[in-house]
Amino acid sequence: VAEISSDWIWEIDIQNKYTYISDGVEKVLGYSPEEMLGKTFFDFMSKKETGRISGIFKKIVLNKKSIVDLENYKTAKNGNDVYLLTSGVPILSQEGEVLGYRGVDKDITEREKAHNEQKRLALFLQKRVKELKCLRKLSEIMETKDISLEEICRKTINILPAAFQYPEIACVK
């Protein structure tokens, strides 16, 4: 199973050092299993990601829990970030002490990119909706019969800030 999986399967000891890595890691990170054996998963993370994940992982180990769909990223051999979905189970001694973990990492980079693009587009559309609402209100003002220039200006001044990127700090005079 480990040899035919598109994901990569791993085992770590209590010091978080890889003791087993399937060949699937080469497709995902570009490293051979031999290049990673004896190193920790933190060795393949940025300092920021290491800081974020270490706290989460310490709690999991302390409570002897399974790792369930932990989103994280590692740096591939080519320098690119690879987003992973990590799951694993503790390896316990007969006395119930954690000896390490056995698990699998799934490459979710494309999914993460699509999700980020979706968020970017949603934000873009929210901005356009604000602008369109403003234009609609301005159009309604302009279509009002028997309205003075002073009234048009006053109503316009009240409408414009809501269309700005930061309406809470915008002002119109």
Side-chain angles (χ1 to χ4, degrees):
V1 172
E3 292 176 15
I4 62 169
S5 176
S6 61
D7 304 332
W8 59 287
I9 297 168
W10 49 263
E11 280 186 8
I12 57 171
D13 62 18
I14 195 63
Q15 285 86 32
N16 302 326
K17 292 182 180 178
Y18 288 112
T19 57
Y20 172 79
I21 298 179
S22 70
D23 290 337
V25 74
E26 285 194 67
K27 289 180 263 177
V28 178
L29 293 179
Y31 293 102
S32 70
E34 294 77 26
E35 290 176 285
M36 295 181 73
L37 286 173
K39 295 181 180 174
T40 73
F41 49 86
F42 296 121
D43 293 329
F44 301 93
M45 292 180 174
S46 69
K47 287 182 182 181
K48 181 179 177 184
E49 186 69 352
T50 295
R52 185 181 77 83
I53 293 298
S54 63
I56 295 169
F57 192 66
K58 282 179 186 175
K59 278 186 183 177
I60 291 171
V61 174
L62 202 64
N63 294 307
K64 302 176 187 176
K65 298 287 185 188
S66 294
I67 305 164
V68 180
D69 293 341
L70 177 61
E71 292 186 22
N72 63 99
Y73 71 90
K74 292 185 177 61
T75 304
K77 193 171 186 175
N78 65 10
N80 293 336
D81 287 336
V82 177
Y83 291 85
L84 300 166
L85 192 62
T86 302
S87 294
V89 295
I91 302 169
L92 303 175
S93 69
Q94 288 182 344
E95 293 79 29
E97 295 302 312
V98 176
L99 300 174
Y101 271 79
R102 177 178 298 126
V104 62
D105 277 16
K106 179 177 188 60
D107 184 354
I108 60 168
T109 303
E110 292 307 313
R111 183 185 87 176
E112 189 66 22
K113 284 180 183 176
H115 179 69
N116 289 339
E117 179 65 8
Q118 182 182 23
K119 287 192 312 191
R120 187 190 69 75
L121 288 172
L123 184 59
F124 175 81
L125 289 173
Q126 286 174 345
K127 290 176 183 178
R128 299 304 77 83
V129 166
K130 282 176 29 173
E131 292 164 359
L132 288 171
K133 285 180 179 180
C134 179
L135 288 172
R136 182 181 51 90
K137 288 177 182 178
L138 289 172
S139 175
E140 289 171 0
I141 292 169
M142 298 303 166
E143 291 173 358
T144 305
K145 293 184 181 192
D146 300 324
I147 189 170
S148 69
L149 181 57
E150 184 180 320
E151 186 68 10
I152 290 172
C153 290
R154 189 182 59 72
K155 287 185 175 192
T156 300
I157 286 171
N158 289 334
I159 291 170
L160 284 178
F164 292 159
Q165 184 172 0
Y166 303 105
E168 61 279 359
I169 60 172
C171 71
V172 180
K173 290 185 176 184

